Amino acid sequence: MSTKPAAATPWLGPEEDRAWRAYRRMVIAVQARTAQDLADLGLSEPDYEVLCTLSERPGNTSTLHEQAAKMEWSRSRLSRHATRMETRGLIRRAPDPGDGRGCLLVLTDKGLDTLQQAAPGHVASVRRHFVDQLAPEELETLGRIAIKLAAPANSHDAPAGAPDHGAPRS
């Protein structure tokens, strides 16, 4: 399979290229800064995402399949990460009664405590490196753009609503 772009693909114009490169720098910078702050709290970004999303689920439980889809990871990648989190006592696995081959990821008391301890520092980091850097109207515009770009690639419509921003999620 060739990795060459099709001959008809137009090159980015100067403004398109500038916007693309600025977007990439922004994502890398904000992600690196918030990831470092999470690391200082003893968690990785994926750790926090797993803990946070499990805390939002009924019974603090999700199927491995649902969690992998939410994180846009393969099930095998999440399974390996879940093994590391399980070793640390943050989550546990349980058989999935709805799928004999699957498993449930369950937030442990230690995982919930860890999340509750980390959440204020993570929210402060998100504020410092992202929210407080933007005027309210810029934040609103960026939120609309992010929803549009995060829509499935084959979808021409952005999701109807904004993501849930309830605590301790950020």
Side-chain angles (χ1 to χ4, degrees):
M1 175 181 213
S2 174
T3 58
K4 282 183 148 181
T9 301
W11 289 101
L12 298 180
E15 285 302 308
E16 293 167 327
D17 187 59
R18 182 194 63 75
W20 171 247
R21 289 172 187 254
Y23 163 78
R24 292 289 300 146
R25 285 190 300 272
M26 174 197 67
V27 168
I28 290 166
V30 172
Q31 190 172 27
R33 292 168 189 157
T34 57
Q36 181 57 58
D37 289 346
L38 268 175
D40 292 345
L41 298 170
L43 295 171
S44 68
E45 288 178 297
D47 290 342
Y48 193 85
E49 181 70 12
V50 170
L51 295 175
C52 193
T53 56
L54 286 177
S55 77
E56 297 168 344
R57 301 282 304 183
N60 295 335
T61 302
S62 177
T63 67
L64 181 74
H65 177 76
E66 290 170 333
Q67 188 69 29
K70 183 164 183 81
M71 294 178 72
E72 295 191 23
W73 280 17
S74 68
R75 284 187 283 182
S76 62
R77 180 180 179 191
L78 179 57
S79 182
R80 287 188 303 273
H81 190 79
T83 297
R84 292 188 295 273
M85 292 182 73
E86 194 171 24
T87 300
R88 293 162 44 210
L90 301 173
I91 64 172
R92 67 178 175 81
R93 294 180 206 232
D96 182 354
D99 179 359
R101 297 174 297 146
C103 73
L104 300 174
L105 301 179
V106 182
L107 184 63
T108 64
D109 290 341
K110 180 181 179 182
L112 184 58
D113 290 344
T114 299
L115 176 63
Q116 289 171 337
Q117 290 173 14
H122 181 58
V123 171
S125 175
V126 170
R127 283 200 161 284
R128 182 171 58 256
H129 300 300
F130 181 72
V131 174
D132 293 346
Q133 302 298 315
L134 301 170
E137 60 276 4
E138 292 171 322
L139 194 59
E140 182 180 339
T141 299
L142 185 56
R144 284 195 314 272
I145 292 167
I147 289 168
K148 186 175 184 177
L149 292 178
N154 59 357
S155 170
H156 296 289
D157 299 319
D164 183 338
H165 293 292
R169 182 128 178 96
S170 58

